[in-house]
Amino acid sequence: MVISGNPRTGSRTLGVARDLAERIADDLPVAGIEIIDLAPLARRLFDNDSQVAAAARTAAAADLLIVASPVYKGSYTGLLKVFLDLLPGGALRGVTAVPLVVSAAPDHSFAGDLYLRPVLVELGATVPARSFAVVEDQLLDLDIVVDSWVVSHGDVLRAGVLGNVGARQRAGAALRGLGAVGSTDHFPRVAADHITHAGADAVVPAGQRSAAPGGPRAVLRTDLAEAAL
């Protein structure tokens, strides 16, 4: 699953996050990569909206969660912060998370580890690998950058996912206040040849683990608020 929070869909940050998810999926057997776009939900984030609640529940049901953002004014985006603030404490318990940042300059590559990682840990996620950080100048060689990162961190990601199998049920109570899970049919989806775009039956309440035979579900969550990236 991809949750894209860019006010303008189709950004380069989304492409980076999707490429990383696909490469990770080569090593971790997954059911597919779903895509949910937070952009049309931006105006609903303060309204106790059922669509936002559905997106939150789907993200919290993930085994592997990539949280991606462009570096905006030295940190991750406000849109991502608002969405994460809606998750109750412990909502990501049992989730293995990967912070991902795309920046215009190497000086901002630290934002994922310095600012995004602590929030994910506070929400209960396991963050076993260093953040995936890519500078705009590296986008032409993105395949090399992605492959190098996955080769370096693939083993700890697999161990994190396997180690969190028993923690999923303990996160269920934290999400009960988010409202009923609704259909995701209304979420804009980013097309990709071999990415699975799941409908309402893929929105799994916390406490229920959805897995394909042989491996966990993969969830890619992206928040992209700077159109240039």
Side-chain angles (χ1 to χ4, degrees):
M1 181 194 78
V2 175
I3 299 182
S4 172
N6 194 339
R8 292 178 56 189
T9 60
S11 73
R12 287 180 289 179
T13 306
L14 173 58
V16 171
R18 184 169 55 193
D19 285 354
L20 179 62
E22 292 175 358
R23 179 60 183 82
I24 290 174
D26 289 340
D27 292 343
L28 288 176
V30 296
I33 301 171
E34 304 168 44
I35 298 175
I36 296 177
D37 195 346
L38 288 178
L41 301 181
R43 297 180 182 274
R44 302 170 182 256
L45 291 178
F46 297 100
D47 296 334
N48 194 28
D49 185 81
S50 62
Q51 297 178 28
V52 175
R57 286 178 179 271
T58 305
D63 290 293
L64 178 65
L65 188 63
I66 298 176
V67 185
S69 173
V71 177
Y72 188 70
K73 291 183 172 61
S75 185
Y76 62 98
T77 64
L79 180 57
L80 178 57
K81 176 62 169 149
V82 171
F83 182 77
L84 293 177
D85 281 349
L86 294 177
L87 300 177
L92 298 184
R93 188 175 294 114
V95 175
T96 299
V98 176
L100 182 155
V101 294
V102 180
S103 63
D107 290 348
H108 287 159
S109 296
F110 62 82
D113 282 322
L114 188 60
Y115 299 120
L116 189 49
R117 174 192 293 268
V119 176
L120 298 175
V121 172
E122 179 69 18
L123 288 169
T126 299
V127 188
R130 90 176 153 76
S131 298
F132 180 89
V134 60
V135 179
E136 189 174 356
D137 290 345
Q138 297 177 303
L139 293 179
L140 292 177
D141 299 315
L142 183 60
D143 288 346
I144 297 174
V145 178
V146 168
D147 191 67
S148 176
W149 189 93
V150 174
V151 168
S152 297
H153 301 287
D155 288 343
V156 295
L157 289 181
R158 179 184 293 273
V161 169
L162 294 177
N164 277 327
V165 167
R168 172 74 58 226
Q169 294 181 349
R170 296 195 296 272
L175 291 172
R176 289 173 186 165
L178 286 177
V181 175
S183 170
T184 59
D185 290 341
H186 46 272
F187 291 160
R189 300 261 178 25
V190 180
D193 291 339
H194 59 285
I195 291 180
T196 300
H197 301 287
D201 58 345
V203 181
V204 182
Q208 298 179 15
R209 184 168 181 268
S210 174
R217 295 177 64 236
V219 171
L220 166 67
R221 186 169 80 204
T222 61
D223 180 77
L224 324 162
E226 189 171 25
L229 295 176

